[in-house]
């Protein structure tokens, strides 16, 4: 691949969204809605086109040349010989292109949809400015080949999510949700920054000896690498040795960063609240951008995780744990967006599980399929909410199938893809779970949890569909619902088509024995076959995948069937046997989200406030204010002293000058005399 | 050393090659004379033409300086018998000075018209001061240094008092004149001592004489220190800074814009050339004074700025503090080349940032007076969002936030101090710049503060003219570029530092 072309295309992908953001932000208000709509969407569309060109180049690149790292420009370098330097360099390989396809492709559809969704909102310029910035930050994050740049993108994503979740900042709930998201993100940011510090300080390189030269054996041992360029980091990852505690700590810190972004337990509570933003924002956060960043991060740092099986095992367990927890919670939520939000958490948990057990390609495969059907579900839900005048409670809905046919059919496709039957998820999810049987010591146990998640997924997906779209309308709003505008339907239909066919196409040609996604494997796996070979296998055992596929799909179908039986055209309560005294706590537990918010409230928030109150009453006025007042007092006194010297009288100024001039001269002459 | 051996004796007449070395200065000097004459024939209503002509002269000189950068080559040479350097340091500093002048000319017509001060000699004086600065940054002889300083000072004395019917402006001019003469006397005395002890006025010869081993002469040390006092006055470093707040506040703000940036840049250039190069062998004797002045400047400038209520005065004290930071680079520049490079980088960063900040005050100034109290800026964001955003950006850069030019200026000089094993100096710098955040952000915050309901706007901000807006946008872009594309300028200052004449080190 020609480096100049790669650099140009990557720069285009980065610059178009940020340019769009700047144009919308600075000129959006004076130039009006039409301008914003066009700039906001076209910039992302063109970026997507550039990504497609990259994809074409990548597919035609000869074997072994499918990864290319180019320097866009040097941000900072302290010359030759100094090892401190940061350059904006980007890696274009199957992994980053795969992510970019999702980010810009699905992102573009969401932007188009937003044109319709935000048509009455006065803040549309601000909205598109933030949205484009979001895309920019994500693109920077996945393209970055330097950890500093990666962290800039990482923090940019957090900022964008804060701005967008709190987009309606005059609503208290939105402001609180935005703050919650930001605080959680900052925990992740700090972890990632600490990981960067540890890498910078600890990663070493064996002394380089050019071939043919005579190198003394004891040339000082390993030298510190002192760089944050990812290719170098990965190339020297093994210098710490396998199972090194440092590497494990680094990987755990990276994983904490990933958990915060991907809403994994225990940093997951921001995600359901994040739906306080406009619905396209939810679609963007849940499908195309933010939550996938954690999956990407672990996949990108796979050379480190391959060498740290303990950290990787933790990642897999947390992912699977979050997955079943979120699936359980999703069963009883009554807010249409909240159900989808928990389903996101559950699906992302599966992907985190996949990258934790080394099934990187499978995790990323599900990431893309999930982006399709999750964006679809959110945008279709947005149509519902739009026509229901911002009512989000599914108990007020029902019978919408007859009133909004296209949305309902699309939603059905999305639910099938999510549930794992016929479409999308049937391929990617089973492929992902198939690895669970072979990799890692804890994996078989996790696999059993995974198939349970399958049942839950089918259940909540079709509970949501049944309650919302079938049966009789349960409110006037639902009775007067109507189909959405075309600009909001077209993206939904496109996404429905993608969710329906992507699995089939990417799986092609289907081999009965393996049921492996041939294209995905061929495309993505070269990235993960690095020179560093860790203790984690990248391939599922032969023959198991086919059986796993049958088991997984079967359980999904059971879940779907039970859900259809209970909720389609029926009332909305839990089935009778869950209302009794014996099992009645289960729906309650689910409805209250396992009381985790309450737990955090009791363990962290309340004690925090209490501590703050105590500190404010005792420590603050005496100790803190004391020394702050002392310091500022000294500074102000000093300042006043200087001002009092500044009399405005020339004779004073001149005398002070003379004094110091003479003092300096005399002192130096004396000092010079003493020296000699 | 090789440069010194090849010095010609002053017997021949200067040739065409010498003229080439002074071409940018000559262009501006000719422009100065031409503008004085043009002022007589251009009708008063068409004074903006003079601004156009001035801009053309400056642009021409800028182009010649850029060409000179390449023509002089990495080593450079001296012209006019070793009196003036034709090297990359002078070309670089010329460019900074000329850009500062150019931006000043861009914001001047609108401002002068509003204030009713639009007189033709303004532009001529501006060019005269510019010539002085350009000569100063290229001077390699004590005589030329002194002449250049007087040329730029006298022009600036007049410009400070340009608002003739305003008492404050008059006061500023007379203060600047008296104290400036005072400082010149110190410097002249120092030069006399240096000449007396070495027998030379050319920096190369002085450097040669100084590097001879032999008994140390205390009077030579005294001369060096007194010269430093003179330069410290020009760069407004504490404790020789007292004129700065009064003059900056009293002078018309367009003049302050120019003075606060261009003078400092040129004076630092000569300070670097004389101390970090020519006087390098006396490093042990002068470094402690430079370090002391640097620390005093950082402390005094930053602390005094805390309690100001006028933007002009605050920026004056901030300028004193910035001089302290740049002096860090100068103080360690002999031992660590990064020091001089950092100082030069800082100068360019300071130039774009500070000129931008003052340009905002200039374009927002009212009829008849400069509106520069903090209260005048309150709520600017809600009326002039772009201008307010630009000022906020400049203030962040002055405070040294990343992605702005100011961050890398500070970063480089602090890095140089640490590389020179003077960690304490870097800590002084870091500590005081933490203090500075307070007063920079205080002003930034004021712009975002809404006025109380019912409280009336004391005056209307003028509409931003195309030129004024262009100046602000250009400086903001410069601040951003120097903060993002660091190697661009870093390479330039490395080359400038490496080729500095007389090349005694």
């Amino acid at each position: 691949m020609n480096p100049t072309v790669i650099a140009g295309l990557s720069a285009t992908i980065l610059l178009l969204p940020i340019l769009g953001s700047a144009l919308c932000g600075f000129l959006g208000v004076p130039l009006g809605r039409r301008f914003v709509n066009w700039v906001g969407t076209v910039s992302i569309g063109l970026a997507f086109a550039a990504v497609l060109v990259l994809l074409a180049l990548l597919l035609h690149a000869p074997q072994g040349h499918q990864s290319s790292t180019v320097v866009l420009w040097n941000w900072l370098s302290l010359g030759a010989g100094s090892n401190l330097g940061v350059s904006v360099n980007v890696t274009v390989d199957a992994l980053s292109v795969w992510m970019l396809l999702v980010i810009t492709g699905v992102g573009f559809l969401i932007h188009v949809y937003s044109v319709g969704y935000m048509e009455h909102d006065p803040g549309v310029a601000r909205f598109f400015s933030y949205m484009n910035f979001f895309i920019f930050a994500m693109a920077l994050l996945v393209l970055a080949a330097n950890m500093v740049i990666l962290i800039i993108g990482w923090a940019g994503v957090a900022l964008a999510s804060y701005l967008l979740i709190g987009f309606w900042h005059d609503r208290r709930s939105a402001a609180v949700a935005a703050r919650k998201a930001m605080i959680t993100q900052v925990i992740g940011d700090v972890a990632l920054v600490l990981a960067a510090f540890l890498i910078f300080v600890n990663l070493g390189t064996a002394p380089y000896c050019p071939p043919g030269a005579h190198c003394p054996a004891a040339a000082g041992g390993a030298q510190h690498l002192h760089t944050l360029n990812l290719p170098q980091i990965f190339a020297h990852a093994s210098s710490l040795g396998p199972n090194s505690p440092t590497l494990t700590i680094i990987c755990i810190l990276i994983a904490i960063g990933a958990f915060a972004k991907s809403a994994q337990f225990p940093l997951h509570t921001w995600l359901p609240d994040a739906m306080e933003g406009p619905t396209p924002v939810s679609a963007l956060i849940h499908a195309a951008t933010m939550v996938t960043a954690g999956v990407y991060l672990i996949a990108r740092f796979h050379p480190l995780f391959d060498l740290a099986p303990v950290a990787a095992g933790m990642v897999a367990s947390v992912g699977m744990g979050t997955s079943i927890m979120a699936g359980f919670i999703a069963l009883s939520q009554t807010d249409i967006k909240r159900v989808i939000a928990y389903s996101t958490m559950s699906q992302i948990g599966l992907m985190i599980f996949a990258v934790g057990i080394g099934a990187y390609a499978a995790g990323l495969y599900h990431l893309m399929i999930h982006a399709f059907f999750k964006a679809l579900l959110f945008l279709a839900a947005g149509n519902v909410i739009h026509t229901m005048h911002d009512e989000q409670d599914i108990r007020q809905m029902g019978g919408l199938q007859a009133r909004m046919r296209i949305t309902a059919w699309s939603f059905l496709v999305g639910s099938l893809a999510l549930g794992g039957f016929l479409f999308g998820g049937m391929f990617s999810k089973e492929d992902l779970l198939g690895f669970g049987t072979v990799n890692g010591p804890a994996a078989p146990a996790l696999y059993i949890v995974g198939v349970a998640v399958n049942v839950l997924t089918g259940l909540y997906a079709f509970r949501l569909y049944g309650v919302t779209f079938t049966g009789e309308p349960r409110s006037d709003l639902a009775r007067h619902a109507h189909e959405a505008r075309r600009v909001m339907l077209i993206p939904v239909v496109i996404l429905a088509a993608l969710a329906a066919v992507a699995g089939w196409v990417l799986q092609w040609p289907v081999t009965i024995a393996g049921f492996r996604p041939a294209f995905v494997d061929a495309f993505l796996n070269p990235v993960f076959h690095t020179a560093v070979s860790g203790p984690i296998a990248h391939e599922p055992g032969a023959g198991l995948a086919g059986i796993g596929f049958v088991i997984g799909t079967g359980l999904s179908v059971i879940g779907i069937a039970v859900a259809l039986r209970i909720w389609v055209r029926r009332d909305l309560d839990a089935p009778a046997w869950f209302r009794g005294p014996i099992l009645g706590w289960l729906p309650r537990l689910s409805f209250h989200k396992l009381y985790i918010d309450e737990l955090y409230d009791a363990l962290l928030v309340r004690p925090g406030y209490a501590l703050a109150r105590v500190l404010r009453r005792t420590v603050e006025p005496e100790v803190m204010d004391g020394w702050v007042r002392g310091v500022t007092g000294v500074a102000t006194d000093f300042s006043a002293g200087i001002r009092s010297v500044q009399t405005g009288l020339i004779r004073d100024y001149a005398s002070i000058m003379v004094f110091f001039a003479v003092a300096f001269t005399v002192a130096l002459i004396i000092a010079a005399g003493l020296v000699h | 050393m090789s440069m010194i051996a090849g010095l010609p004796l002053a017997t021949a007449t200067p040739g065409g090659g010498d003229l080439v070395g002074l071409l940018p200065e000559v262009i501006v000097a000719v422009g100065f004379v031409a503008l004085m004459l043009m002022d007589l024939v251009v009708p008063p209503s068409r004074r903006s033409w003079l601004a156009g002509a001035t801009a053309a002269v400056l642009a021409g000189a800028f182009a010649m300086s850029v060409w000179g950068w390449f023509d002089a080559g990495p080593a450079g040479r001296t012209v006019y018998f070793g009196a003036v350097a034709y090297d990359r340091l002078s070309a670089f500093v010329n460019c900074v000075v000329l850009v500062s002048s150019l931006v000043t000319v861009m914001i001047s017509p609108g401002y002068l018209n509003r204030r009713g001060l639009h007189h033709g000699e303004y532009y001529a004086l501006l060019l005269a001061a510019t010539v002085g600065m350009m000569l100063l940054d290229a001077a390699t002889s004590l005589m030329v240094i002194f002449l250049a300083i007087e040329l730029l000072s006298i022009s600036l004395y007049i410009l400070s008092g340009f608002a003739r019917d305003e008492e404050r402006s008059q006061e500023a001019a007379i203060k600047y004149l008296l104290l400036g003469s005072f400082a010149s006397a110190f410097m002249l005395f120092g030069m006399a001592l240096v000449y007396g002890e070495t027998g030379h006025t050319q920096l190369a010869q002085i450097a040669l004489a100084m590097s001879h081993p032999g008994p140390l002469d205390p009077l030579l040390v005294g001369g060096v220190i007194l010269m430093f006092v003179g330069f410290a006055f020009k760069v407004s470093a504490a404790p020789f800074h007292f004129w700065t707040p009064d003059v900056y506040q009293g002078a018309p703000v367009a003049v302050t814009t120019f003075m606060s940036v261009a003078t400092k840049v040129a004076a630092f250039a000569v300070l670097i050339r004389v101390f970090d190069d020519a006087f390098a062998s006396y490093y042990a004797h002068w470094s402690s004074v430079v370090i002391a002045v640097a620390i005093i400047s950082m402390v005094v400038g930053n602390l005094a700025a805390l309690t100001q209520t006028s933007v002009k005065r605050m920026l004056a004290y901030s300028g004193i503090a910035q001089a302290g930071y740049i002096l860090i680079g100068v103080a360690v520049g002999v031992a660590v080349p990064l020091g001089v490079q950092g100082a030069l980088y800082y100068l360019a960063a300071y130039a774009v940032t500070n000129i931008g900040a003052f340009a905002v005050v200039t374009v927002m100034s009212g009829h008849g007076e400069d509106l520069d109290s903090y209260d005048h800026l309150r709520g600017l964001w809600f009326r002039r969002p772009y201008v307010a955003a630009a000022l906020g950006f400049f203030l962040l850069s002055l405070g040294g936030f990343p992605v702005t030019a100011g961050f890398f200026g500070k970063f480089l000089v602090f890095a140089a101090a640490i590389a020179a094993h003077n960690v304490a100096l870097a800590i002084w710098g870091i500590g005081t710049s933490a203090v500075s955040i307070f007063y920079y952000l205080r002003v930034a915050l004021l712009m975002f503060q809404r006025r109380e309901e019912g409280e009336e706007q004391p005056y209307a901000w003028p509409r931003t003219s195309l030129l004024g807006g262009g100046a602000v946008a250009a400086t903001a872009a410069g601040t951003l570029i120097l903060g993002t594309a660091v190697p661009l300028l870093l390479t330039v200052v490395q080359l400038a530092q490496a080729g500095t004449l007389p090349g005694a080190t």
Side-chain angles (χ1 to χ4, degrees), chain A residues 571-583:
Chain A
D571 59 348
L572 7 145
D573 280 329
W577 58 88
F578 281 122
R579 274 175 265 164
I582 304 161
L583 287 174

Side-chain angles (χ1 to χ4, degrees), chain A residues 2 18 50 56 66 73-74 99 188 240 252 283 294 311 329 361 404 407 439 442 473 524 548 569 583 605 624 640 651:
Chain A
N2 185 340
I18 193 75
Q66 284 138 331
W73 90 89
N74 279 322
M99 291 298 294
L240 287 173
I252 287 176
I329 295 174
M404 28 199 336
T407 302
N439 283 347
L524 281 175
R569 296 174 196 282
L583 287 174
V605 180
M624 299 307 285
R651 58 168 185 266

Side-chain angles (χ1 to χ4, degrees), chain A residues 6-37:
Chain A
I6 297 291
L9 283 170
S10 338
T12 312
I13 294 165
L14 291 173
L15 284 179
L16 277 170
I18 193 75
L19 193 69
S21 173
L23 283 177
C24 290
F26 287 118
L27 300 175
V29 174
L31 291 183
R33 190 174 290 271
R34 279 179 77 86
F35 170 81
V36 170
N37 287 345

Side-chain angles (χ1 to χ4, degrees), chain B residues 19 22-38 53 57 61 124 127-128 131:
Chain B
L19 193 63
L22 265 185
L23 211 48
E25 285 87 348
V26 170
I27 290 174
V28 182
V30 170
F32 159 59
V33 177
L35 268 161
M36 294 243 281
L37 297 176
M38 273 172 75
V57 168
L127 286 186
V131 177

Side-chain angles (χ1 to χ4, degrees), chain A residues 333-583:
Chain A
Q333 299 303 309
T334 55
D335 183 312
I336 183 169
K337 279 168 79 175
R338 211 168 257 274
V339 177
I340 308 176
Y342 277 104
S343 88
T344 301
M345 203 188 287
S346 176
Q347 299 301 308
I348 298 283
L350 290 179
M351 297 172 212
I352 293 280
F353 160 74
V355 293
I357 59 169
Y360 302 110
L364 288 162
Y365 178 32
H366 192 47
L367 187 154
M368 180 177 276
I369 301 286
H370 173 260
F372 295 151
F373 67 70
K374 191 48 59 73
L376 160 65
L377 287 175
F378 260 113
L379 296 188
N383 284 350
V384 171
I385 296 166
H386 206 61
T387 189
M388 296 280 296
H389 297 277
D390 291 337
E391 178 59 67
Q392 303 190 358
D393 191 335
I394 52 172
R395 288 170 298 190
Q396 305 296 318
M397 299 173 186
L400 294 178
Q401 201 165 33
R403 287 164 185 80
M404 28 199 336
R405 289 209 161 273
I406 300 177
T407 302
W409 278 111
S410 310
F411 203 95
L412 183 62
V413 171
S415 299
L416 281 170
L418 169 64
F421 182 59
L422 277 182
F423 304 137
M426 176 169 84
F427 305 100
S428 55
K429 201 162 34 160
E430 309 322 335
D431 178 44
L432 178 163
L433 284 172
F435 280 86
T437 52
V438 284
N439 283 347
L446 292 178
Y447 177 71
I448 294 168
V449 181
V451 291
V453 170
N454 258 5
V455 181
L456 285 178
T457 310
L459 271 175
Y460 67 69
F462 277 84
R463 169 178 173 268
L464 183 63
Y465 179 78
V467 172
T468 310
F469 287 98
T470 65
E472 289 302 312
R474 287 179 291 271
S475 70
D476 279 347
L477 282 172
R479 237 161 262 131
H480 296 118
H482 55 83
E483 189 55 279
R485 284 178 52 200
R486 199 178 298 159
V487 69
M488 294 165 71
L489 275 182
I490 291 170
V492 171
V493 171
I494 293 174
L495 284 166
L498 283 170
V501 303
W504 291 102
V505 171
L506 291 173
Q507 201 83 12
W508 206 261
V510 180
T511 54
I512 302 299
F515 259 99
R516 304 279 310 118
F519 172 78
V520 179
D521 272 354
F523 185 67
L524 281 175
N525 263 340
V527 177
F528 302 110
H529 284 290
T530 48
V532 186
S533 57
I536 294 177
H538 290 293
E539 294 283 345
L544 276 167
I547 301 165
F549 181 86
V550 173
I551 297 173
T553 310
L555 285 165
S556 297
V557 171
I558 291 172
I560 294 171
V562 171
L564 290 174
R565 177 78 184 77
I566 301 174
W567 281 294
V568 172
R569 296 174 196 282
R570 305 286 169 89
D571 59 348
L572 7 145
D573 280 329
W577 58 88
F578 281 122
R579 274 175 265 164
I582 304 161
L583 287 174

Side-chain angles (χ1 to χ4, degrees), chain A residues 227-318:
Chain A
T227 177
L228 285 172
N229 279 339
L230 295 183
Q232 273 114 303
I233 291 177
F234 298 152
H236 297 284
S238 54
S239 70
L240 287 173
N243 288 318
S244 104
T246 317
L247 198 60
T248 304
I249 292 172
I250 289 172
C251 283
I252 287 176
L253 285 170
I254 293 174
I256 291 173
F259 291 166
K261 272 280 177 301
S262 291
Q264 296 299 296
F265 181 83
L267 298 173
H268 65 282
T269 55
W270 65 272
L271 187 65
D273 293 7
M275 53 163 208
E276 284 295 338
T279 302
V281 174
S282 308
L284 200 59
I285 288 179
H286 288 255
T289 55
M290 189 159 176
V291 293
T292 60
V295 181
Y296 165 79
L297 189 74
I298 295 175
R300 176 56 82 198
F301 280 88
H302 70 94
L304 303 190
F305 280 92
D306 285 349
L307 294 166
V310 176
M314 184 204 79
V315 169
S317 314
V318 169

Side-chain angles (χ1 to χ4, degrees), chain B residues 89-357:
Chain B
L89 178 70
S90 65
F92 168 70
V93 179
N94 274 352
C95 288
V96 178
V97 167
L98 286 165
V99 167
S100 309
S101 288
L102 202 57
V103 176
T104 311
V105 170
M106 278 170 80
I107 57 174
S108 288
Y111 171 76
L112 295 175
N113 279 331
R114 271 203 305 283
R115 293 284 312 269
L117 298 174
H118 210 172
H119 306 299
E121 63 268 32
Y122 176 85
Y123 299 106
L125 287 167
L126 207 63
L127 286 186
T130 309
V131 177
M133 292 163 186
M134 293 165 74
L135 272 178
L136 185 60
D137 69 49
T140 48
S141 151
L142 297 183
M143 307 301 288
V144 180
I145 292 175
F146 184 72
L147 281 176
I149 281 195
E150 288 308 292
L151 178 53
L152 80 91
S153 299
I154 290 170
S155 315
L156 287 176
Y157 299 151
I158 306 172
L159 281 173
S160 309
F162 206 71
R164 259 166 266 178
D165 41 6
E166 210 178 287
E167 245 177 51
R168 261 183 146 175
S169 182
Q170 298 293 321
E171 187 190 323
I174 196 79
K175 269 183 185 161
Y176 196 17
L177 169 66
L178 285 175
L179 292 171
S181 321
F182 210 66
S184 293
F186 277 118
M187 184 159 49
L188 208 50
F189 189 28
M191 286 176 173
L193 286 175
V194 170
Y195 173 69
E197 293 303 313
T198 60
H200 294 287
T201 57
Q202 287 182 8
L203 293 182
Q205 309 281 23
I206 294 172
L208 195 61
M210 276 184 166
S211 59
H212 275 312
L216 179 92
D217 200 328
L219 282 187
L220 190 51
V221 175
V224 167
I225 301 303
L226 286 175
M227 276 182 73
F228 176 72
V229 169
F231 291 139
F233 177 87
K234 282 295 159 204
V235 303
S236 60
F240 311 105
H241 67 283
F242 290 99
W243 61 278
T244 315
D246 295 6
V247 174
Y248 279 18
Q249 196 182 18
V253 64
V255 176
T256 313
T257 310
F258 178 63
M259 178 158 74
S260 70
V261 170
T263 317
K264 195 168 285 195
V265 171
F268 262 114
V270 74
L271 190 60
I272 286 168
R273 191 189 291 284
V274 172
F275 278 78
D276 282 322
D277 203 289
F279 293 173
S281 43
Y282 267 45
Y283 174 67
H285 302 298
W286 57 257
S287 67
S288 52
V289 167
V290 178
I291 289 172
V293 170
I295 292 176
I296 297 174
S297 301
M298 290 187 286
V299 171
V300 168
N302 282 318
L303 285 181
L306 285 178
T307 49
Q308 299 304 319
T309 53
S310 147
V311 181
K312 277 160 91 179
R313 259 186 115 75
M314 183 275 278
L315 285 175
Y317 280 111
S318 121
I320 294 165
Q322 310 280 356
Y325 297 123
I326 304 171
L327 278 176
I328 293 180
V330 177
V332 301
V334 173
V336 187
L338 185 64
V340 169
Q341 294 161 7
L344 291 176
Y345 197 98
Y346 205 126
L347 281 177
Y350 172 77
V352 286
T353 308
N354 214 47
I355 212 165

